[in-house]
Amino acid sequence: MAILTLTRQSGSFGDEIGMLIARRLGYTFYDKKEIERRIIAKGLPKEELVKYDEKKPSFFDRFAKNRDKYLNYLSSVVLEMAKEGNCVIMGRGAFLFLRDVPNHIALRFVSTKEKRLTHIKELTGATNDKVALQILDKSDKQQAAFYKSCFKYDLNDHSWIFATINTALCPPDMMAEMISAGIKNNVSEKIDEAGKNRIEELILAQEMANKLIFEHNLHIDDLWVLVHDKNVTLRGMTSFHATVERAETILESEYSGYKVISEIKCVQDSRFSKA
């Protein structure tokens, strides 16, 4: 019926509410551990995963090639989960991969500092507010840095969030019940079918991106492939026009019937541009 993606501040009961919603709707709940398991199963070494997984990457790990590799694996996993349908996906920027899917709903949970501190102490066993506050501050900074580095997205920008909910004002059970009822009453079969079709396009776009980057080893930074109807749009940055031409040729030859439009920015490598 629907795909629900959630982001939350640490200590805001986001995970608990997500699990309650999934239980009420009979949906599958995908948490951090399951997302990590699927990424590693696809072939990304665990030591590579931990460099990027909802944290601020080191200086060398910020380079586009390494970051894009992680994002390709993450995108593939999120889209596979979305294709299975009727699910709740927690964190990892899932709402940005699915932002134009008709049956997708994105929510963010926040809470007051006082409530968050109390809950963090319950979860971690922290003995005082100072330790709990350090945990919260570190989590908030890492989450913000993750979205900025991997998605160029500011968590204070709610452009792609349906609603930001203050969980301090309502018990988790009541919150889960209200959200579940809203989904049941408003996601129709027509919307669900449109969502399934859009997800198929997103999966195809990810397949095309993987083919260019992993199979043909094309060096295109921040590659983004968009598929809509029979049109394919390529976005990103590379050093050579030949790379752009090769990308177009590969997709047109291997995906007949699709029109490829390149919006890739070509920044000539200064080493070869000097006469």
Side-chain angles (χ1 to χ4, degrees), residues 51-66:
K51 293 178 181 178
Y52 299 97
D53 198 41
E54 284 218 339
K55 65 177 61 176
K56 182 179 180 179
S58 68
F59 174 78
F60 292 107
D61 294 324
R62 294 177 195 172
F63 291 109
K65 184 178 180 181
N66 296 331

Side-chain angles (χ1 to χ4, degrees), residues 5-8 52-57 67 71 74 89-97 107-108 139-157 161:
T5 58
L6 307 176
T7 62
R8 79 283 183 257
Y52 299 97
D53 198 41
E54 284 218 339
K55 65 177 61 176
K56 182 179 180 179
R67 185 188 64 236
L71 288 174
L74 176 60
I89 305 175
M90 176 58 69
R92 302 306 177 277
F95 73 99
L96 293 170
F97 293 116
L107 301 176
R108 178 164 175 77
S139 175
D140 289 346
K141 288 177 181 177
Q142 287 188 333
Q143 188 181 58
F146 168 75
Y147 279 91
K148 182 178 180 180
S149 173
C150 290
F151 300 101
K152 298 181 177 62
Y153 182 82
D154 182 353
L155 278 175
N156 294 317
D157 176 8
I161 296 291

Side-chain angles (χ1 to χ4, degrees), residues 94-260:
F95 73 99
L96 293 170
F97 293 116
L98 303 171
R99 57 181 177 246
D100 63 346
V101 174
N103 63 335
H104 164 238
I105 299 166
L107 301 176
R108 178 164 175 77
F109 297 117
V110 299
S111 189
T112 62
K113 185 63 68 72
E114 180 183 5
K115 291 285 188 180
R116 294 176 66 200
L117 284 173
T118 299
H119 192 40
I120 282 295
K121 286 193 286 187
E122 294 171 350
L123 292 174
T124 65
T127 56
N128 57 66
D129 285 353
K130 182 178 180 180
V131 175
L133 184 59
Q134 289 174 342
I135 294 172
L136 287 183
D137 286 344
K138 181 179 179 180
S139 175
D140 289 346
K141 288 177 181 177
Q142 287 188 333
Q143 188 181 58
F146 168 75
Y147 279 91
K148 182 178 180 180
S149 173
C150 290
F151 300 101
K152 298 181 177 62
Y153 182 82
D154 182 353
L155 278 175
N156 294 317
D157 176 8
H158 297 177
S159 300
W160 296 105
I161 296 291
F162 284 50
T164 298
I165 301 169
N166 183 354
T167 62
L169 303 178
C170 184
D173 280 337
M174 184 181 294
M175 187 73 65
E177 182 60 36
M178 289 190 295
I179 294 170
S180 300
I183 292 173
K184 287 179 181 178
N185 294 331
N186 291 282
V187 181
S188 66
E189 291 184 6
K190 183 178 180 180
I191 293 175
D192 186 41
E193 187 61 29
K196 290 178 181 178
N197 293 336
R198 182 59 188 141
I199 289 170
E200 290 294 342
E201 290 183 331
L202 292 173
I203 290 174
L204 178 59
Q206 185 63 53
E207 177 187 311
M208 290 178 175
N210 291 345
K211 183 175 290 293
L212 296 177
I213 298 299
F214 297 132
E215 291 185 27
H216 294 276
N217 297 312
L218 297 188
H219 297 289
I220 305 173
D221 293 335
D222 295 321
L223 175 64
W224 195 265
V225 181
L226 298 90
V227 177
H228 185 66
D229 293 330
K230 289 292 183 177
N231 295 315
V232 179
T233 303
L234 305 179
R235 293 175 182 168
M237 184 177 297
T238 189
S239 297
F240 304 105
H241 291 290
T243 302
V244 178
E245 294 172 358
R246 189 176 176 208
E248 293 174 339
T249 300
I250 289 170
L251 295 185
E252 288 174 349
S253 63
E254 299 194 28
Y255 297 91
S256 60
Y258 285 87
K259 180 181 179 181
V260 180

Side-chain angles (χ1 to χ4, degrees), residues 239-240 267-275:
S239 297
F240 304 105
V267 181
Q268 188 67 38
D269 191 326
S270 60
R271 293 173 299 173
F272 300 94
S273 61
K274 296 178 180 179

